[in-house]
Amino acid sequence: MCGIVGYIGRNEAWSVILEGLKRLEYRGYDSAGLAVLNNGTIDVRKAVGKLKVLESSVKDNPPAGCIGVGHTRWATHGRPSDENAHPHTDCSGRITVVHNGIIENYLQLKSRLEARGHKFTSETDTEVAAHLIEEYYDGDLASAVRRAAKELEGSFALVVMAQDEPGCLVGARRHSPLVVGLGEEESFLASDVAAFLKHTRRVVFVDDDLVVSVGKNNVRLFDLQGNEFVASATTVDWDAAMAERGGYDHFMLKEIHEQPRALRDTMRGRLSSELDRIDLPGLNLSDDEIRNINRIVMIACGTAYHASIAGKYAIEELCRIPVEVDVASELRYRDPVIDDRTLAIVISQSGETIDTIVGLREAKRKGAKAVAITNVVGSLAARESDGVLYTYAGPEIAVASTKAYTTQLMLLYLIALYIAQVRGTIDESRAATLRAALWELPSQAEIILNDYSEVVKAAERYYCFNGFLYMARGINLASALEGALKMKEIAYIHAEGYAAGEMKHGPIAMIDPTFVTIAIAVQSKTYDKILNNIKEVKARSGEVIAVANTHDETIVNYADRVFRVPQTEELLSPVLVAIPLQLMAYHVACNRSPNIDQPRNLAKTVTVE
Ligand code: F6R
């Protein structure tokens, strides 16, 4: 994982780099470092721990200079320590490297380089890149990086600075993100545009196996053979304020509150305001191609996988196409049944999750058409798919995904309705009902967010309980799994999501007075069955919180507490149910952990296996 930043321009590099690293801290936060070049000398600073440790030591005695590189680390090779923190240097200290990814052949390269006299000072895979570049360096950094990149196996985004070339930074990438930012007499290289959004929105996305050389006023792209490419810049429509906390205690809370806006933006232009039509040009599929699909495979990890579970229910019900959902880390190794009549739907907030990307490649290799649902313009998933539908959630900074999830659901509903229309598997009155209900979701989400005092009270009561079980039936199985994941990842409490019909097959044995069950009991065809499940838990002295509709009077006779959500179509209800579950995990976590935006052991984007 890890976040990297490079800067060349008119300002003090240390300050721009630290500010950029703060935006990337979601990618890793066990150590950090930066290096600044000035008057022929490179000054390297490192610190174990969160970025603020580095920041306070650098601020006491900042390194002068207008060109530098920085890194925030999530350890893969070598424990968090000053020696293993980046930047890494070659033997002479003249070449400095920051890296995101894993160099898989680093042991072979290391022994070859050691045999040639190179001295290593860290346990990392990254350091081989610095020494390999040193081997090839003859006064042309871009050429040395290019020759080194050819020999590296695995994944990397590198930013390299050479003492003898103060006018440029050189980057290279394979399977790890790298973006160039073009400002006024200043340029940036970073893992994510969030690092430099405050300075510029003009970006160049660097493709795999390209080397990029940036100066204050120029950018040059080369392939690994040294052929030069024209770098085409695009303007991203995120602004810096979107990546700030905006008065909220945590990014996660801010992002939960952004959901009405994010849902509206994701619907805009796709569901017509007359509510009579859905247009999805991003799908990039002709009507004939849609009619030819005989199977859909969804590829995703974590929260995005939970969105795919809801997507399966929606697509199978509306389109009558069999849908298979699988976590990408399983799909990539199990030889799935995919052919040229399969549509692969790849769901990834970052668009860079390595298992998801490999799953996408595997699906395409077997002949499938692939459509990406992603939040990041120009991400790998977007570029490698045949079609792309962006969730317009804006930057998601908190590690725990919230607004990306509900906007992924929104796109899956739009896809299901669109395909159903084309294939004629839905009658117009049902389609019209669903379109109208979709349109209402952002306002209904606002109603939940206007008053969730019940959730805050419940969090205060239950934050020291031993475990949470989330149970649901039908499409809200996705909500149960997602609610449990949120609780685990930020509150560090054991939580499980279960199909309620499975309770008697095992989980009910867990129920005791210290165990909380959250039952998703919104109006549905299985509502009465969920009431029975709640009775069974109560009969064993378990505490029950129900998520139920606003006007449901019955539920108070069953559950100890009720989180209310407005009523919508059962198929669409996971969007609304997600919100109190996100808030519950957030408020339980507030009572237990200071690290809500950056939970222990996690990173936002999993770019290594
Ligand atoms: C959980 C969470 C993760 C991600 C997963 C996939 O809150 O954020 O489970 O959903 O790592 O990430 P993307 O969507 O970027 O592929």
Side-chain angles (χ1 to χ4, degrees):
M1 274 136 333
C2 309
I4 59 179
V5 181
Y7 174 74
I8 178 164
R10 302 161 297 174
N11 295 308
E12 287 299 332
W14 70 270
S15 150
V16 180
I17 289 169
L18 276 177
E19 183 188 80
L21 290 177
K22 278 187 204 157
R23 300 273 78 82
L24 299 185
E25 217 183 353
Y26 70 85
R27 301 179 65 87
Y29 34 82
D30 57 40
S31 52
L34 56 80
V36 175
L37 167 59
N38 194 26
N39 289 332
T41 309
I42 294 178
D43 190 342
V44 180
R45 311 287 179 88
K46 300 180 182 188
V48 175
K50 291 205 167 180
L51 196 56
K52 56 180 185 251
V53 184
L54 177 73
E55 183 176 23
S56 61
S57 82
V58 166
K59 273 186 171 161
D60 286 346
N61 173 25
C66 299
I67 170 170
V69 295
H71 187 270
T72 177
R73 180 165 188 247
W74 188 86
T76 55
H77 292 62
R79 75 210 141 82
S81 68
D82 281 354
E83 298 73 44
N84 291 334
H86 301 214
H88 289 286
T89 44
D90 66 334
C91 298
S92 63
R94 299 162 75 86
I95 291 169
T96 310
V97 175
V98 287
H99 165 227
N100 165 216
I102 291 184
I103 297 169
E104 287 168 1
N105 58 338
Y106 83 104
L107 286 175
Q108 295 97 296
L109 290 171
K110 190 171 177 177
S111 50
R112 195 181 97 198
L113 289 160
E114 277 174 336
R116 288 183 52 81
H118 289 264
K119 296 273 177 282
F120 283 77
T121 54
S122 77
E123 304 158 295
T124 65
D125 52 337
T126 303
E127 201 185 340
V128 296
H131 292 277
L132 197 56
I133 294 166
E134 179 185 19
E135 273 289 292
Y136 291 125
Y137 188 60
D138 58 4
D140 179 350
L141 185 61
S143 154
V145 170
R146 185 169 58 73
R147 292 174 71 189
K150 273 186 177 171
E151 292 190 35
L152 301 178
E153 288 169 17
S155 60
F156 54 84
L158 299 168
V159 180
V160 190
M161 180 170 74
Q163 190 173 291
D164 299 337
E165 293 183 56
C168 76
L169 288 173
V170 174
R173 74 162 274 176
R174 182 181 303 145
H175 307 328
S176 294
L178 187 64
V179 193
V180 179
L182 302 172
E184 289 291 311
E185 279 189 58
E186 58 183 1
S187 301
F188 308 79
L189 272 161
S191 309
D192 184 333
V193 291
F196 53 71
L197 266 183
K198 197 172 155 193
H199 304 273
T200 183
R201 293 194 288 128
R202 282 188 67 225
V203 304
V204 175
F205 294 104
V206 181
D207 276 318
D208 270 355
D209 287 319
L210 291 188
V211 169
V212 59
S213 169
V214 299
K216 267 199 289 194
N217 296 308
N218 60 63
V219 50
R220 300 179 70 189
L221 280 177
F222 303 91
D223 68 15
L224 295 187
Q225 282 62 51
N227 303 310
E228 186 159 0
F229 284 81
V230 178
S232 57
T234 46
T235 302
V236 292
D237 58 6
W238 293 359
D239 64 32
M242 289 170 92
E244 300 292 341
R245 275 213 306 268
Y248 288 94
D249 287 344
H250 298 98
F251 278 110
M252 182 178 177
L253 188 59
K254 175 186 175 232
E255 289 161 7
I256 290 172
H257 279 267
E258 284 174 337
Q259 289 176 107
R261 194 269 313 144
L263 288 165
R264 278 193 188 98
D265 285 353
T266 301
M267 233 173 4
R268 184 165 295 139
R270 290 163 170 159
L271 174 55
S272 67
S273 46
E274 296 78 30
L275 304 185
D276 58 349
R277 224 185 43 257
I278 289 170
D279 292 315
L280 292 181
L283 262 187
N284 199 19
L285 291 172
S286 68
D287 287 0
D288 280 345
E289 282 171 325
I290 288 176
R291 282 189 279 266
N292 191 41
I293 298 167
N294 68 0
R295 171 189 192 81
I296 291 179
V297 173
M298 306 239 201
I299 306 168
C301 298
T303 288
Y305 165 68
H306 297 154
S308 78
I309 292 173
K312 171 185 168 74
Y313 279 84
I315 293 175
E316 288 193 340
E317 181 175 326
L318 302 180
C319 312
R320 311 309 303 153
I321 301 173
V323 179
E324 190 181 335
V325 298
D326 208 346
V327 283
S329 54
E330 286 301 313
L331 177 126
R332 64 181 284 191
Y333 291 116
R334 74 167 169 81
D335 196 14
V337 181
I338 290 176
D339 62 23
D340 60 2
R341 293 188 65 192
T342 306
L343 174 66
I345 302 183
V346 176
I347 310 173
S348 173
Q349 187 284 131
S350 61
E352 305 279 345
T353 298
I354 190 70
D355 285 328
T356 306
I357 296 298
V358 174
L360 156 66
R361 290 180 183 151
E362 181 60 9
K364 288 199 69 179
R365 194 185 63 76
K366 287 176 174 254
K369 283 256 180 209
V371 174
I373 293 181
T374 180
N375 196 34
V376 179
V377 174
S379 58
L380 266 183
R383 282 179 291 147
E384 295 199 9
S385 298
D386 303 295
V388 55
L389 294 169
Y390 288 110
T391 48
Y392 294 119
E396 194 179 63
I397 306 293
V399 165
S401 188
T402 53
K403 59 181 180 170
Y405 173 68
T406 46
T407 51
Q408 285 160 0
L409 292 175
M410 173 61 81
L411 279 179
L412 286 163
Y413 295 135
L414 291 170
I415 292 174
L417 274 166
Y418 183 75
I419 292 181
Q421 264 168 223
V422 173
R423 291 170 70 104
T425 49
I426 189 167
D427 65 56
E428 178 45 28
S429 89
R430 172 89 175 121
T433 305
L434 285 167
R435 290 194 298 262
L438 269 182
W439 190 257
E440 290 305 316
L441 286 177
S443 317
Q444 293 179 312
E446 260 154 14
I447 293 170
I448 301 171
L449 289 163
N450 282 343
D451 178 9
Y452 52 87
S453 46
E454 272 308 309
V455 177
V456 178
K457 277 191 240 156
E460 273 160 21
R461 162 142 175 74
Y462 296 118
Y463 76 89
C464 46
F465 273 50
N466 290 342
F468 284 79
L469 191 136
Y470 293 68
M471 64 174 183
R473 287 170 180 265
I475 194 165
N476 276 300
L477 176 59
S479 313
L481 295 168
E482 176 57 9
L485 178 62
K486 290 286 93 85
M487 187 62 81
K488 279 188 273 218
E489 67 179 332
I490 60 167
Y492 315 148
I493 300 182
H494 180 69
E496 275 189 79
Y498 243 92
E502 284 286 291
M503 287 295 283
K504 290 197 219 36
H505 300 284
I508 202 160
M510 302 280 294
I511 304 299
D512 71 18
T514 68
F515 200 85
V516 190
T517 299
I518 300 191
I520 315 305
V522 291
Q523 291 306 312
S524 70
K525 37 187 178 294
T526 49
Y527 176 74
D528 290 339
K529 296 203 182 299
I530 277 282
L531 293 184
N532 286 337
N533 290 122
I534 295 175
K535 270 205 265 177
E536 289 157 7
V537 173
K538 288 304 304 167
R540 285 151 186 89
S541 306
E543 294 268 336
V544 177
I545 300 171
V547 180
N549 289 132
T550 313
H551 300 297
D552 180 348
E553 303 292 343
T554 312
I555 195 74
V556 290
N557 302 317
Y558 290 77
D560 299 294
R561 287 163 191 269
V562 184
F563 299 162
R564 299 285 180 178
V565 296
Q567 188 163 344
T568 182
E569 292 289 314
E570 178 183 358
L571 215 53
L572 311 186
S573 60
V575 170
L576 301 180
V577 169
I579 298 172
L581 301 186
Q582 295 163 349
L583 287 164
M584 179 68 178
Y586 173 80
H587 285 283
V588 167
C590 284
N591 284 295
R592 294 171 60 96
S593 151
N595 293 328
I596 293 183
D597 284 334
Q598 295 165 349
R600 67 187 182 203
N601 307 335
L602 295 177
K604 181 76 180 156
T605 309
V606 183
T607 53
V608 293
E609 214 181 330

